[in-house]
Amino acid sequence: MKLHIDIDCFFVSAHRIYNPKLNNIPVAVGGRSNLSIFDRKNSCSSISKIKGAFTSSILSNNRNISFEEYFMDRNKKIRGIITTSSYEARAYGVKTAMSVAEALRWCPGLTVIPPNYELYHELSHKLKEFLQKEIPHIEQFSIDEFFGDVSGWIEEKDIRDFASDLKQKILANTGLPVSIGISNSKWIAKLSTEFAKPNGIKYTPKEEIYGFTKDLPIEVFPGIGRGYQEKLQSRNIHTLGDIRENRSLLYSWKKPGMQLYNRVCGIDGEEIAVEKDKKSIALARTFDPVFSRDELKRMISILCRHLSFLSIKNNYTPPYFLFAYKVSIRVQVQREYKNKQGFQRIKP
């Protein structure tokens, strides 16, 4: 039996732990490309304890920064996008990836908070350590999602009570509200979580998978991106039930199609993944056009120093030629973009 544990509105919930005034009001956490590493003034950063490709490694401290300092540029224009919104904010139409300026138009009473990644990583790591004591096998899927396998440990008849007890323990130990999806299949458990939110539990036994999924649109299933949606829709496949009825077609698409079909039917048999070391490390920053060659050199030098620092801290020994090649490609892409937009050319 598999569990999928998802922290409700994680970034907002994290702030609410330390600021009860944020409870029961529209709240959102916004974000911008973190350019603080290029600042000439001293700043404080830390290394994340979370290992995985889904998360940043270097965390900047924004604990005491104001809305104006973080979201407003030098021309007093509001920048940034929404990364997480509370359910109170979602009722006004505020959603992830919406610009902060647009979100404030939709919900004038919205409280928008600068992100505090140190806090999020600290709480995520704390939750993982707690879950490892409560569940035999844990996989951290993202900063706010975990899979757990309790097969052979918790009987099926007791699984709801176990999940309910686990929810209460998580809240008591971390202050975080979570929703839990349960099924014999890893991906049906994850899908179930979407229908458990907010702060609920949904158990989908094997015999109920077809009835639960048959009328759901394909876009709700984890892992079906926009490109694959278009491919399915071009074959008149619009629901998960349609996928189930087109086994031959899906299997003709080889591994991706077979994998999707099996996951939708709950017969994938996929186990909880063992945590693996990162295969690569990277630092990427998006910034406005820079026309000074000296400034670009300075910024690239800073990125190189940060990558070197991460390599040393994690005992990595990447080949120098590979690292240099990646940096040169990044610069070339930026240079070509400037040329297309009619900006001043920067010579190699």
Side-chain angles (χ1 to χ4, degrees):
M1 192 62 62
K2 309 294 193 307
L3 304 178
H4 177 255
I5 302 157
D6 194 344
I7 306 172
D8 292 326
C9 309
F10 177 36
F11 292 177
V12 171
S13 296
H15 288 278
R16 283 174 165 173
I17 292 173
Y18 300 99
N19 186 359
K21 292 181 180 179
L22 299 175
N23 291 335
N24 305 314
I25 64 171
V27 181
V29 175
R32 294 182 63 182
S33 183
N34 181 10
L35 304 180
S36 62
I37 62 172
F38 301 127
D39 289 347
R40 294 181 182 275
K41 61 183 180 180
N42 292 333
S43 61
C44 179
S45 299
S46 61
I47 300 295
S48 174
K49 296 179 182 179
I50 304 175
K51 305 296 182 182
F54 50 78
T55 182
S56 301
S57 298
I58 297 179
L59 310 176
S60 298
N61 188 337
N62 295 321
R63 287 181 186 270
N64 299 313
I65 196 168
S66 68
F67 176 91
E68 290 75 15
E69 291 174 303
Y70 186 81
F71 291 108
M72 287 189 173
D73 62 18
R74 65 185 64 183
N75 298 314
K76 301 299 182 183
K77 181 180 179 181
I78 297 176
R79 308 289 289 269
I81 62 170
I82 299 298
T83 56
T84 307
S85 57
S86 68
Y87 285 98
E88 294 86 355
R90 294 177 195 184
Y92 287 87
V94 177
K95 54 187 177 181
T96 300
M98 177 182 284
S99 72
V100 172
E102 183 182 2
L104 288 168
R105 289 195 295 270
W106 279 89
C107 181
L110 182 67
T111 299
V112 185
I113 306 171
N116 185 341
Y117 293 108
E118 281 189 319
L119 173 62
Y120 311 146
H121 283 244
E122 176 186 319
L123 287 170
S124 180
H125 184 66
K126 182 178 180 180
L127 177 55
K128 181 180 180 180
E129 288 187 323
F130 173 76
L131 290 174
Q132 287 174 330
K133 298 174 183 177
E134 298 291 321
I135 298 176
H137 200 176
I138 284 291
E139 172 190 345
Q140 180 155 22
F141 189 67
S142 71
I143 193 171
D144 61 347
E145 293 179 87
F146 299 83
F147 284 108
D149 190 346
V150 295
S151 303
W153 190 59
I154 301 295
E155 293 188 30
E156 189 170 349
K157 64 182 179 64
D158 299 323
I159 193 64
R160 289 180 186 272
D161 291 338
F162 173 79
S164 179
D165 185 54
L166 182 64
K167 267 175 51 65
Q168 297 306 315
K169 286 181 178 179
I170 291 172
L171 186 63
N173 281 270
T174 66
L176 295 169
V178 301
S179 294
I180 300 178
I182 312 166
S183 190
N184 67 297
S185 161
K186 181 177 180 178
W187 302 104
I188 297 298
K190 180 170 168 57
L191 177 65
S192 298
T193 309
E194 294 301 313
F195 295 83
K197 295 178 180 180
N199 198 27
I201 296 170
K202 179 167 178 56
Y203 172 40
T204 307
K206 184 187 300 186
E207 61 273 14
E208 295 180 12
I209 291 176
Y210 177 70
F212 168 50
T213 61
K214 66 183 180 70
D215 295 323
L216 296 179
I218 56 175
E219 56 266 27
V220 306
F221 197 80
I224 301 183
R226 184 172 298 176
Y228 223 76
Q229 286 178 36
E230 293 175 355
K231 184 175 182 177
L232 291 166
Q233 289 166 350
S234 69
R235 271 76 170 183
N236 202 32
I237 297 174
H238 301 281
T239 68
L240 299 183
D242 293 336
I243 289 178
R244 196 181 187 106
E245 299 301 319
N246 283 273
R247 182 181 184 277
S248 297
L249 174 63
L250 270 292
Y251 268 53
S252 72
W253 294 348
K254 306 302 181 184
K255 184 177 178 179
M258 295 167 66
Q259 184 182 67
L260 177 58
Y261 178 86
N262 292 340
R263 286 178 173 181
V264 167
C265 295
I267 56 173
D268 53 274
E270 294 181 39
E271 300 297 330
I272 301 300
V274 176
E275 188 172 277
K276 298 179 181 179
D277 292 333
K278 288 184 178 181
K279 294 183 178 179
S280 64
I281 56 173
L283 269 180
R285 293 294 185 272
T286 302
F287 46 86
D288 292 333
V290 175
F291 302 109
S292 166
R293 184 177 179 83
D294 289 339
E295 177 63 10
L296 279 175
K297 281 184 175 180
R298 186 185 77 87
M299 295 170 79
I300 292 173
S301 174
I302 289 170
L303 289 174
C304 291
R305 289 204 306 269
H306 277 75
L307 276 177
S308 299
F309 176 72
L310 286 174
S311 297
I312 292 170
K313 283 291 185 181
N314 292 284
N315 296 316
Y316 298 140
T317 54
Y320 172 77
F321 71 87
L322 180 60
F323 170 72
Y325 175 75
K326 289 290 186 182
V327 171
S328 67
I329 290 296
R330 295 278 185 182
V331 175
Q332 179 67 28
V333 169
Q334 293 296 323
R335 185 186 303 122
E336 290 176 357
Y337 172 77
K338 290 185 172 78
N339 291 340
K340 289 179 182 178
Q341 297 299 316
F343 296 127
Q344 176 183 338
R345 177 173 176 78
I346 300 177
K347 296 180 180 180

